[in-house]
Amino acid sequence: MVDDPAGELQKMLADPKQEERIVARQLVEEFARRFHENHGMKISFTEAAAEMLVNEALQKGQSVRELCAKRFKDFHFGMKLIAQNSGQQEFVIDTDAVELPDKVLSDWVVASYRKSA
């Protein structure tokens, strides 16, 4: 995109779905920013995880914001436990966490208790 901005712009204009994907990807980042503002915990998504969320949202005709809110609704509770146990304040959401959020969060909480013991 940086090497050929005009060419990339033409591709985006030729494929409206591409623009929709770009906006959806930005909404994943916005979710992470708002999560930090609301809960004090910083989350970031791997590129693969963000793409997985975008693909699922577009496939289901659902907004990315709605999908993320539902998928990660309990994460702040578990992350607060982890922060109390280990002091960890930053978390990376990968494809495993997108696919099985409850299991991954549970694993993280259990691991934080082991670290604090």
Side-chain angles (χ1 to χ4, degrees):
M1 186 171 202
V2 174
D3 293 336
D4 183 17
E8 288 297 319
L9 177 60
Q10 288 305 318
K11 283 185 205 174
M12 287 191 301
L13 293 174
D15 182 8
K17 288 285 186 193
Q18 182 65 20
E19 184 177 339
E20 188 176 6
R21 294 186 68 74
I22 290 169
V23 170
R25 180 66 175 84
Q26 290 171 340
L27 290 173
V28 171
E29 296 306 317
E30 180 187 327
F31 177 83
R33 184 182 55 76
R34 286 183 181 224
F35 189 94
H36 183 247
E37 289 173 1
N38 292 333
H39 305 294
M41 304 288 168
K42 184 174 182 186
I43 62 171
S44 61
F45 292 88
T46 65
E47 193 62 38
E51 281 301 309
M52 187 179 282
L53 288 165
V54 168
N55 290 338
E56 183 176 340
L58 292 175
Q59 181 182 10
K60 291 181 175 181
Q62 185 177 22
S63 79
V64 171
R65 185 178 297 134
E66 189 179 305
L67 176 65
C68 288
K70 186 176 179 182
R71 177 83 32 101
F72 305 112
K73 69 182 181 328
D74 296 328
F75 263 46
H76 63 282
F77 295 117
M79 289 176 174
K80 286 187 183 199
L81 284 173
I82 294 167
Q84 289 172 354
N85 293 334
S86 68
Q88 181 179 349
Q89 297 284 321
E90 296 185 18
F91 301 85
V92 176
I93 309 298
D94 61 10
T95 55
D96 290 341
V98 170
E99 288 178 352
L100 301 167
D102 294 337
K103 180 191 181 314
V104 169
L105 183 60
S106 177
D107 290 349
W108 289 352
V109 171
V110 169
S112 77
Y113 279 106
R114 287 189 188 124
K115 287 179 186 175
S116 67

